[in-house]
Amino acid sequence: MAASWDGRPRLQCALPLLFDLGDGSDGAVTVAANANFSAIAGVAADANGVYTLQCTTFTINDGVTVTLDQPYCLIRATGAVTLGGGVSGAILGTGNGALGGSGDSSARSGSSGIGPGRGNGGGLTYSPGKGGGGAGARAAGTDGGTPGTTAGKGGTQTNWLTHFLTGDTLDILTGAGGGGGGGDGAAAGSAGGKGGAGLYIVAASIRIRVGFTWTSTGAVGGGPPTAHGGGGGGGAGGPVVCAALTIQIDATTGSVLVSLGGAGGAGGGTGTAGGAGSVGHVVLLWQRWYDVGGAKMDATALAARTDPDAQAYQFRSYRGTGTTPAFVVA
């Protein structure tokens, strides 16, 4: 899908509500060796199960991988966030998000996945059930296959903007799980895949150095099951959200921010496959400027991005100044 720049500033008055940099109580944090996010000093879970770090600055050193081992992760920094040292490094949340639904051993639907936009389980119109699992979805997900059955339904669209209007952190941070496959009365359908884990970074500035990647793809649905059960739906990609006064991505081409949906699992025998999960939201919110490779973003630079889910990018200025453009994907 081609990217384009509409050249017009945008006022989004609700979005400054987002811009809470935290209190910096965890100080300056540098991750110098591979680590799970929940094990980083200062990270703690709140009452909603969101694992939060409140720091002054946050740095992931070159070559270091931080694994998002919890579905809901949040970094608030009063200063700069720097990801990578210019050669490599990664944030990885693939398959660690919201749970997929379970398959059913009876001739009926499997259960739904977890999270907003979750996929519903594979349904059926008669015994034995052969319905594939519905895909997890942030955008509209696909359904499982339908020969002789009613497919599990893909999850519905859930707008990331809801978070800024309601203050519900879980809404922006929850990746959606795929639905389970229907059973055939003797053997269970397969479970849906987990969504990708979500990470939301809000900081004074965010810089993603060359070679650093941030990936949170949904897991593949389970399958094939025994007998004729349906395959599990794939999990949706996890939310990848950066919000800052300035955002800089040093690489001018290539995959930097990736949030794909997992594939649906295969059905057993004449059972049908689960639907693929949808791409997750990749959202960049900035106030002053957003740039790629050290130059202010323009239509040419945006079109050069080759991230496989670039169509899911949401480029938004959260406060128009009369000169700040809004970048959109056509």
PDB file of all heavy atoms in Angstrom, residues 155-180:
ATOM      1  N   GLY A 155     -12.317 -10.644  14.763  1.00  0.00           N
ATOM      2  CA  GLY A 155     -12.613  -9.578  15.709  1.00  0.00           C
ATOM      3  C   GLY A 155     -12.965  -8.275  15.012  1.00  0.00           C
ATOM      4  O   GLY A 155     -12.650  -8.061  13.849  1.00  0.00           O
ATOM      5  N   THR A 156     -13.629  -7.391  15.731  1.00  0.00           N
ATOM      6  CA  THR A 156     -14.045  -6.118  15.167  1.00  0.00           C
ATOM      7  C   THR A 156     -12.966  -5.057  15.359  1.00  0.00           C
ATOM      8  O   THR A 156     -12.063  -5.199  16.171  1.00  0.00           O
ATOM      9  CB  THR A 156     -15.339  -5.635  15.835  1.00  0.00           C
ATOM     10  OG1 THR A 156     -15.131  -5.542  17.251  1.00  0.00           O
ATOM     11  CG2 THR A 156     -16.467  -6.619  15.581  1.00  0.00           C
ATOM     12  N   GLN A 157     -13.090  -4.001  14.581  1.00  0.00           N
ATOM     13  CA  GLN A 157     -12.149  -2.888  14.671  1.00  0.00           C
ATOM     14  C   GLN A 157     -12.206  -2.248  16.054  1.00  0.00           C
ATOM     15  O   GLN A 157     -13.268  -1.979  16.595  1.00  0.00           O
ATOM     16  CB  GLN A 157     -12.511  -1.821  13.623  1.00  0.00           C
ATOM     17  CG  GLN A 157     -11.674  -0.549  13.703  1.00  0.00           C
ATOM     18  CD  GLN A 157     -10.290  -0.727  13.105  1.00  0.00           C
ATOM     19  OE1 GLN A 157     -10.071  -1.628  12.311  1.00  0.00           O
ATOM     20  NE2 GLN A 157      -9.366   0.125  13.475  1.00  0.00           N
ATOM     21  N   THR A 158     -11.048  -2.035  16.655  1.00  0.00           N
ATOM     22  CA  THR A 158     -10.956  -1.299  17.911  1.00  0.00           C
ATOM     23  C   THR A 158     -10.030  -0.107  17.688  1.00  0.00           C
ATOM     24  O   THR A 158      -8.861  -0.274  17.356  1.00  0.00           O
ATOM     25  CB  THR A 158     -10.396  -2.186  19.038  1.00  0.00           C
ATOM     26  OG1 THR A 158     -11.239  -3.321  19.187  1.00  0.00           O
ATOM     27  CG2 THR A 158     -10.331  -1.424  20.346  1.00  0.00           C
ATOM     28  N   ASN A 159     -10.540   1.079  17.858  1.00  0.00           N
ATOM     29  CA  ASN A 159      -9.795   2.289  17.532  1.00  0.00           C
ATOM     30  C   ASN A 159      -8.819   2.640  18.644  1.00  0.00           C
ATOM     31  O   ASN A 159      -9.202   2.792  19.799  1.00  0.00           O
ATOM     32  CB  ASN A 159     -10.795   3.447  17.328  1.00  0.00           C
ATOM     33  CG  ASN A 159     -10.152   4.667  16.706  1.00  0.00           C
ATOM     34  OD1 ASN A 159      -8.953   4.898  16.843  1.00  0.00           O
ATOM     35  ND2 ASN A 159     -10.951   5.456  16.016  1.00  0.00           N
ATOM     36  N   TRP A 160      -7.547   2.764  18.314  1.00  0.00           N
ATOM     37  CA  TRP A 160      -6.548   3.094  19.331  1.00  0.00           C
ATOM     38  C   TRP A 160      -6.816   4.451  19.982  1.00  0.00           C
ATOM     39  O   TRP A 160      -6.423   4.713  21.121  1.00  0.00           O
ATOM     40  CB  TRP A 160      -5.142   3.101  18.729  1.00  0.00           C
ATOM     41  CG  TRP A 160      -4.956   4.079  17.603  1.00  0.00           C
ATOM     42  CD1 TRP A 160      -5.147   3.828  16.281  1.00  0.00           C
ATOM     43  CD2 TRP A 160      -4.577   5.440  17.709  1.00  0.00           C
ATOM     44  NE1 TRP A 160      -4.914   4.961  15.553  1.00  0.00           N
ATOM     45  CE2 TRP A 160      -4.552   5.973  16.400  1.00  0.00           C
ATOM     46  CE3 TRP A 160      -4.243   6.279  18.773  1.00  0.00           C
ATOM     47  CZ2 TRP A 160      -4.213   7.289  16.135  1.00  0.00           C
ATOM     48  CZ3 TRP A 160      -3.905   7.604  18.508  1.00  0.00           C
ATOM     49  CH2 TRP A 160      -3.897   8.081  17.205  1.00  0.00           C
ATOM     50  N   LEU A 161      -7.544   5.347  19.283  1.00  0.00           N
ATOM     51  CA  LEU A 161      -7.822   6.664  19.827  1.00  0.00           C
ATOM     52  C   LEU A 161      -8.692   6.586  21.085  1.00  0.00           C
ATOM     53  O   LEU A 161      -8.695   7.502  21.911  1.00  0.00           O
ATOM     54  CB  LEU A 161      -8.513   7.529  18.772  1.00  0.00           C
ATOM     55  CG  LEU A 161      -8.770   8.996  19.118  1.00  0.00           C
ATOM     56  CD1 LEU A 161      -7.468   9.719  19.392  1.00  0.00           C
ATOM     57  CD2 LEU A 161      -9.536   9.680  17.997  1.00  0.00           C
ATOM     58  N   THR A 162      -9.404   5.465  21.241  1.00  0.00           N
ATOM     59  CA  THR A 162     -10.260   5.313  22.423  1.00  0.00           C
ATOM     60  C   THR A 162      -9.467   5.529  23.709  1.00  0.00           C
ATOM     61  O   THR A 162      -9.967   6.086  24.682  1.00  0.00           O
ATOM     62  CB  THR A 162     -10.900   3.910  22.445  1.00  0.00           C
ATOM     63  OG1 THR A 162     -11.657   3.745  21.250  1.00  0.00           O
ATOM     64  CG2 THR A 162     -11.800   3.727  23.648  1.00  0.00           C
ATOM     65  N   HIS A 163      -8.221   5.089  23.706  1.00  0.00           N
ATOM     66  CA  HIS A 163      -7.404   5.255  24.908  1.00  0.00           C
ATOM     67  C   HIS A 163      -7.288   6.710  25.330  1.00  0.00           C
ATOM     68  O   HIS A 163      -7.380   7.054  26.507  1.00  0.00           O
ATOM     69  CB  HIS A 163      -6.000   4.693  24.694  1.00  0.00           C
ATOM     70  CG  HIS A 163      -5.003   5.174  25.697  1.00  0.00           C
ATOM     71  ND1 HIS A 163      -5.080   4.832  27.028  1.00  0.00           N
ATOM     72  CD2 HIS A 163      -3.947   5.998  25.582  1.00  0.00           C
ATOM     73  CE1 HIS A 163      -4.088   5.416  27.684  1.00  0.00           C
ATOM     74  NE2 HIS A 163      -3.393   6.126  26.816  1.00  0.00           N
ATOM     75  N   PHE A 164      -7.089   7.574  24.344  1.00  0.00           N
ATOM     76  CA  PHE A 164      -6.863   8.978  24.668  1.00  0.00           C
ATOM     77  C   PHE A 164      -8.139   9.663  25.137  1.00  0.00           C
ATOM     78  O   PHE A 164      -8.103  10.675  25.821  1.00  0.00           O
ATOM     79  CB  PHE A 164      -6.286   9.708  23.455  1.00  0.00           C
ATOM     80  CG  PHE A 164      -5.048   9.035  22.928  1.00  0.00           C
ATOM     81  CD1 PHE A 164      -5.054   8.410  21.703  1.00  0.00           C
ATOM     82  CD2 PHE A 164      -3.902   9.000  23.688  1.00  0.00           C
ATOM     83  CE1 PHE A 164      -3.928   7.765  21.233  1.00  0.00           C
ATOM     84  CE2 PHE A 164      -2.770   8.354  23.226  1.00  0.00           C
ATOM     85  CZ  PHE A 164      -2.779   7.742  22.002  1.00  0.00           C
ATOM     86  N   LEU A 165      -9.256   9.098  24.766  1.00  0.00           N
ATOM     87  CA  LEU A 165     -10.529   9.687  25.153  1.00  0.00           C
ATOM     88  C   LEU A 165     -11.031   9.143  26.486  1.00  0.00           C
ATOM     89  O   LEU A 165     -11.749   9.823  27.210  1.00  0.00           O
ATOM     90  CB  LEU A 165     -11.586   9.420  24.067  1.00  0.00           C
ATOM     91  CG  LEU A 165     -11.246   9.977  22.674  1.00  0.00           C
ATOM     92  CD1 LEU A 165     -12.345   9.608  21.691  1.00  0.00           C
ATOM     93  CD2 LEU A 165     -11.051  11.488  22.711  1.00  0.00           C
ATOM     94  N   THR A 166     -10.625   7.917  26.823  1.00  0.00           N
ATOM     95  CA  THR A 166     -11.126   7.283  28.037  1.00  0.00           C
ATOM     96  C   THR A 166     -10.079   7.155  29.131  1.00  0.00           C
ATOM     97  O   THR A 166     -10.415   6.951  30.297  1.00  0.00           O
ATOM     98  CB  THR A 166     -11.659   5.881  27.730  1.00  0.00           C
ATOM     99  OG1 THR A 166     -10.556   5.044  27.323  1.00  0.00           O
ATOM    100  CG2 THR A 166     -12.703   5.910  26.639  1.00  0.00           C
ATOM    101  N   GLY A 167      -8.790   7.245  28.750  1.00  0.00           N
ATOM    102  CA  GLY A 167      -7.726   7.027  29.716  1.00  0.00           C
ATOM    103  C   GLY A 167      -7.519   5.567  30.055  1.00  0.00           C
ATOM    104  O   GLY A 167      -6.780   5.240  30.985  1.00  0.00           O
ATOM    105  N   ASP A 168      -8.133   4.653  29.314  1.00  0.00           N
ATOM    106  CA  ASP A 168      -8.022   3.230  29.590  1.00  0.00           C
ATOM    107  C   ASP A 168      -6.748   2.679  28.957  1.00  0.00           C
ATOM    108  O   ASP A 168      -6.688   2.425  27.758  1.00  0.00           O
ATOM    109  CB  ASP A 168      -9.251   2.495  29.042  1.00  0.00           C
ATOM    110  CG  ASP A 168      -9.209   1.002  29.349  1.00  0.00           C
ATOM    111  OD1 ASP A 168      -8.244   0.554  29.997  1.00  0.00           O
ATOM    112  OD2 ASP A 168     -10.144   0.296  28.942  1.00  0.00           O
ATOM    113  N   THR A 169      -5.704   2.518  29.768  1.00  0.00           N
ATOM    114  CA  THR A 169      -4.416   2.064  29.254  1.00  0.00           C
ATOM    115  C   THR A 169      -4.528   0.705  28.583  1.00  0.00           C
ATOM    116  O   THR A 169      -3.897   0.451  27.562  1.00  0.00           O
ATOM    117  CB  THR A 169      -3.393   1.981  30.402  1.00  0.00           C
ATOM    118  OG1 THR A 169      -3.302   3.261  31.020  1.00  0.00           O
ATOM    119  CG2 THR A 169      -2.020   1.588  29.882  1.00  0.00           C
ATOM    120  N   LEU A 170      -5.337  -0.190  29.134  1.00  0.00           N
ATOM    121  CA  LEU A 170      -5.441  -1.524  28.570  1.00  0.00           C
ATOM    122  C   LEU A 170      -5.972  -1.506  27.149  1.00  0.00           C
ATOM    123  O   LEU A 170      -5.660  -2.379  26.350  1.00  0.00           O
ATOM    124  CB  LEU A 170      -6.339  -2.404  29.444  1.00  0.00           C
ATOM    125  CG  LEU A 170      -5.747  -2.826  30.792  1.00  0.00           C
ATOM    126  CD1 LEU A 170      -6.765  -3.641  31.574  1.00  0.00           C
ATOM    127  CD2 LEU A 170      -4.476  -3.632  30.608  1.00  0.00           C
ATOM    128  N   ASP A 171      -6.764  -0.494  26.802  1.00  0.00           N
ATOM    129  CA  ASP A 171      -7.328  -0.463  25.462  1.00  0.00           C
ATOM    130  C   ASP A 171      -6.243  -0.317  24.405  1.00  0.00           C
ATOM    131  O   ASP A 171      -6.310  -0.920  23.340  1.00  0.00           O
ATOM    132  CB  ASP A 171      -8.336   0.686  25.324  1.00  0.00           C
ATOM    133  CG  ASP A 171      -8.963   0.698  23.951  1.00  0.00           C
ATOM    134  OD1 ASP A 171      -9.717  -0.236  23.643  1.00  0.00           O
ATOM    135  OD2 ASP A 171      -8.669   1.616  23.167  1.00  0.00           O
ATOM    136  N   ILE A 172      -5.243   0.487  24.666  1.00  0.00           N
ATOM    137  CA  ILE A 172      -4.190   0.684  23.671  1.00  0.00           C
ATOM    138  C   ILE A 172      -3.141  -0.425  23.740  1.00  0.00           C
ATOM    139  O   ILE A 172      -2.449  -0.707  22.780  1.00  0.00           O
ATOM    140  CB  ILE A 172      -3.527   2.080  23.845  1.00  0.00           C
ATOM    141  CG1 ILE A 172      -2.622   2.416  22.650  1.00  0.00           C
ATOM    142  CG2 ILE A 172      -2.720   2.149  25.119  1.00  0.00           C
ATOM    143  CD1 ILE A 172      -3.351   2.781  21.409  1.00  0.00           C
ATOM    144  N   LEU A 173      -3.018  -1.079  24.896  1.00  0.00           N
ATOM    145  CA  LEU A 173      -1.925  -2.016  25.088  1.00  0.00           C
ATOM    146  C   LEU A 173      -2.295  -3.476  24.876  1.00  0.00           C
ATOM    147  O   LEU A 173      -1.449  -4.339  24.944  1.00  0.00           O
ATOM    148  CB  LEU A 173      -1.353  -1.863  26.497  1.00  0.00           C
ATOM    149  CG  LEU A 173      -0.591  -0.566  26.735  1.00  0.00           C
ATOM    150  CD1 LEU A 173      -0.179  -0.454  28.193  1.00  0.00           C
ATOM    151  CD2 LEU A 173       0.630  -0.493  25.838  1.00  0.00           C
ATOM    152  N   THR A 174      -3.543  -3.784  24.675  1.00  0.00           N
ATOM    153  CA  THR A 174      -3.960  -5.179  24.579  1.00  0.00           C
ATOM    154  C   THR A 174      -3.947  -5.661  23.133  1.00  0.00           C
ATOM    155  O   THR A 174      -4.708  -5.171  22.320  1.00  0.00           O
ATOM    156  CB  THR A 174      -5.375  -5.362  25.143  1.00  0.00           C
ATOM    157  OG1 THR A 174      -5.404  -4.824  26.463  1.00  0.00           O
ATOM    158  CG2 THR A 174      -5.739  -6.818  25.210  1.00  0.00           C
ATOM    159  N   GLY A 175      -3.077  -6.619  22.828  1.00  0.00           N
ATOM    160  CA  GLY A 175      -3.171  -7.296  21.548  1.00  0.00           C
ATOM    161  C   GLY A 175      -4.270  -8.337  21.621  1.00  0.00           C
ATOM    162  O   GLY A 175      -4.618  -8.821  22.703  1.00  0.00           O
ATOM    163  N   ALA A 176      -4.844  -8.709  20.500  1.00  0.00           N
ATOM    164  CA  ALA A 176      -6.006  -9.596  20.501  1.00  0.00           C
ATOM    165  C   ALA A 176      -5.616 -11.031  20.170  1.00  0.00           C
ATOM    166  O   ALA A 176      -4.828 -11.288  19.268  1.00  0.00           O
ATOM    167  CB  ALA A 176      -7.035  -9.094  19.487  1.00  0.00           C
ATOM    168  N   GLY A 177      -6.197 -11.977  20.907  1.00  0.00           N
ATOM    169  CA  GLY A 177      -5.951 -13.378  20.648  1.00  0.00           C
ATOM    170  C   GLY A 177      -6.896 -13.938  19.597  1.00  0.00           C
ATOM    171  O   GLY A 177      -8.017 -13.464  19.421  1.00  0.00           O
ATOM    172  N   GLY A 178      -6.465 -14.968  18.894  1.00  0.00           N
ATOM    173  CA  GLY A 178      -7.299 -15.619  17.897  1.00  0.00           C
ATOM    174  C   GLY A 178      -8.323 -16.546  18.539  1.00  0.00           C
ATOM    175  O   GLY A 178      -8.136 -17.032  19.659  1.00  0.00           O
ATOM    176  N   GLY A 179      -9.419 -16.793  17.844  1.00  0.00           N
ATOM    177  CA  GLY A 179     -10.446 -17.698  18.347  1.00  0.00           C
ATOM    178  C   GLY A 179     -10.048 -19.154  18.187  1.00  0.00           C
ATOM    179  O   GLY A 179      -9.251 -19.517  17.317  1.00  0.00           O
ATOM    180  N   GLY A 180     -10.605 -20.014  19.053  1.00  0.00           N
ATOM    181  CA  GLY A 180     -10.352 -21.440  18.957  1.00  0.00           C
ATOM    182  C   GLY A 180     -11.161 -22.091  17.849  1.00  0.00           C
ATOM    183  O   GLY A 180     -12.209 -21.587  17.441  1.00  0.00           O
TER     184      GLY A 180
END
